[in-house]
Amino acid sequence: MKKQILVTGGTGYIGSHTVVELENAGYDVVVVDDLSNSSADVLDNIEKITGQKPVFEQFSLADAEKTDDFFNRYPKIEAIIHFAASKAVGESVNIPLHYYRNNLVSLMNLLDCQKKYGVANMVFSSSCTVYGQPDKLPVTEDTPRKDAESPYGNTKRVNEDILEDSIKANPELKGIALRYFNPIGAHPTALIGELPLGVPQNLVPFITQTAAGLREQISVFGDDYDTPDGSAIRDYINVVDLAKAHVIAIERLLENKNKDGYEIFNLGTGNGYSVLEIVNGFEKSTGVKLNYKIVDRRAGDIEKIWADTTYANEELGWKAEIGLEETLLSAWNWEKRVRGIE
Ligand code: UD1
């Protein structure tokens, strides 16, 4: 019997890649998504990759009644990977209540149902945003968290606490928070990838849309940071590598290999690259020239961050494997397929 896993936000960017890896690993996947920032077509493309279309239910997990009804109808679910959340940093500053309501209430509704229906295991999608600008690099899981720069970032931090406190109060629950660094790239088939609504806020989608001719020019936000070339540094991780870590985290919980009821892992490559290195790396790996200009720093951005991945490497036996150039090429191949570029 295949084990059944609920993936919330499973038609989204990281969620869809994780569904593929779960199906490849022999799990039966149920996707819940409200399609507020994704399309049900993603499910067909997942089927093209794996030969298996996940079961799909469309509703918002912020709706307690619908969430309860869902668990009532799916009694075999053994674990949850919770991606579903609003994630636009800038938007969260303008409509904070929407972010708090959607992101916090969804997790609380899930936790209520976990207790009620006896679903012990949860993997939660967190972010390196919880570290702010760390005093010391690279960051380990013990690096102190800092005040968030945005309501979105705050929902990640508070949700980590909600999960941890719930597990402390209910020892039958177990959870793993995965703190992602900067996920980029797309599936090697180019059938799934990141498709932002409107103008992309994140660097790599902006780059691929500029290369595709949808945007005129990339703005590099700041060249006066204390970094070798003056542009800001991040730890960019391939989304397929990231997705594979979720399968390992699920196995860890299902097989009771976790050391604590609540665990945290950094998911990055351990390498930092500057914005200009990403722009140059894209040109090198794709052969496409990019038009860019240096502009002022973006409000709320930190200068530099990259992960210490020792704990994930040793404890999960997981390591990011796909290099930066291959990853940038995969992002370009995805953009080309979406735009019909040969
Ligand atoms: C942001 C969020 C993070 C979230 C991630 C992915 C914060 C502090 N971080 O990360 O929580 O997980 O998005 O959604 O809110 N850049 C440019 N030009 C652009 C776009 C970006 O120069 O047009 C630069 C940025 O200034 C930054 C780097 O590229 O230095 C990466 O930016 P981005 O892709 O937006 O990710 P983060 O801001 O690092």
Side-chain angles (χ1 to χ4, degrees), residues 115 161-173 261-262:
K115 281 194 282 172
D161 293 342
I162 290 174
L163 180 59
E164 183 175 14
D165 291 342
S166 301
I167 289 168
K168 268 190 212 151
N170 300 278
E172 71 277 17
L173 298 182
Y262 174 68

Side-chain angles (χ1 to χ4, degrees), residues 87 89 127-129 149-150 152 180-183 194 200-204 206 218-222 225 232-234 236 275 298 300-302:
K87 64 166 189 180
V89 176
S127 167
C128 73
T129 197
E149 291 278 351
S150 67
Y152 157 79
Y180 315 146
F181 283 66
N182 287 54
E194 186 173 15
Q201 304 301 307
N202 295 118
L203 178 62
V204 171
F206 203 98
I218 298 155
S219 298
V220 172
F221 297 136
Y225 286 111
I233 292 178
R234 300 286 184 274
Y236 295 91
V275 176
R298 179 170 71 176
D301 271 351
I302 58 160

Side-chain angles (χ1 to χ4, degrees), residues 59-310:
F59 66 91
S60 167
L61 295 148
D63 184 325
E65 248 174 68
K66 286 187 180 154
T67 305
D68 187 273
D69 172 63
F70 168 83
F71 279 95
N72 200 17
R73 289 185 292 115
Y74 288 87
K76 293 204 187 106
I77 286 170
E78 293 190 39
I80 302 166
I81 308 185
H82 182 40
F83 292 105
S86 303
K87 64 166 189 180
V89 176
E91 182 185 64
S92 78
V93 176
N94 298 325
I95 46 169
L97 290 184
H98 170 78
Y99 273 70
Y100 286 117
R101 193 172 292 118
N102 197 34
N103 294 2
L104 306 189
V105 173
S106 297
L107 177 65
M108 291 191 279
N109 286 342
L110 284 171
L111 285 163
D112 274 339
C113 289
Q114 285 187 261
K115 281 194 282 172
K116 182 168 169 190
Y117 294 95
V119 183
N121 307 303
M122 148 101 46
V123 173
F124 173 65
S125 176
S126 191
S127 167
C128 73
T129 197
V130 299
Y131 296 117
Q133 176 61 65
D135 299 329
K136 221 175 107 207
L137 287 165
V139 287
T140 71
E141 289 77 359
D142 296 326
T143 297
R145 296 181 307 173
K146 289 200 169 159
D147 286 346
E149 291 278 351
S150 67
Y152 157 79
N154 211 22
T155 66
K156 290 294 177 196
R157 181 192 163 106
V158 175
N159 267 344
E160 285 190 352
D161 293 342
I162 290 174
L163 180 59
E164 183 175 14
D165 291 342
S166 301
I167 289 168
K168 268 190 212 151
N170 300 278
E172 71 277 17
L173 298 182
K174 291 177 288 169
I176 294 180
L178 299 175
R179 290 179 179 158
Y180 315 146
F181 283 66
N182 287 54
I184 61 165
H187 197 265
T189 58
L191 285 164
I192 51 173
E194 186 173 15
L195 196 56
L197 287 181
V199 182
Q201 304 301 307
N202 295 118
L203 178 62
V204 171
F206 203 98
I207 287 178
T208 55
Q209 288 198 7
T210 307
L214 276 81
R215 316 270 156 218
E216 220 151 84
Q217 194 173 45
I218 298 155
S219 298
V220 172
F221 297 136
D223 70 345
D224 56 352
Y225 286 111
D226 182 18
T227 61
D229 66 21
S231 63
I233 292 178
R234 300 286 184 274
D235 183 337
Y236 295 91
I237 173 160
N238 184 290
V239 68
V240 176
D241 276 335
L242 190 69
K244 288 180 176 163
H246 292 75
V247 179
I248 297 173
I250 281 292
E251 276 164 10
R252 183 177 177 87
L253 292 174
L254 290 176
E255 292 168 15
N256 285 313
K257 289 193 287 199
N258 53 308
K259 286 193 168 157
D260 270 310
Y262 174 68
E263 298 180 309
I264 300 167
F265 293 96
N266 283 343
L267 298 181
T269 66
N271 303 309
Y273 289 98
S274 73
V275 176
L276 289 170
E277 282 175 316
I278 297 295
V279 170
N280 293 330
F282 183 87
E283 290 183 330
K284 198 167 152 218
S285 62
T286 63
V288 180
K289 275 300 275 171
L290 291 171
N291 182 14
Y292 71 87
K293 65 172 180 214
I294 311 282
V295 301
D296 285 348
R297 294 179 181 194
R298 179 170 71 176
D301 271 351
I302 58 160
E303 182 167 87
K304 52 190 165 196
I305 190 164
W306 61 94
D308 183 325
T309 62
T310 312

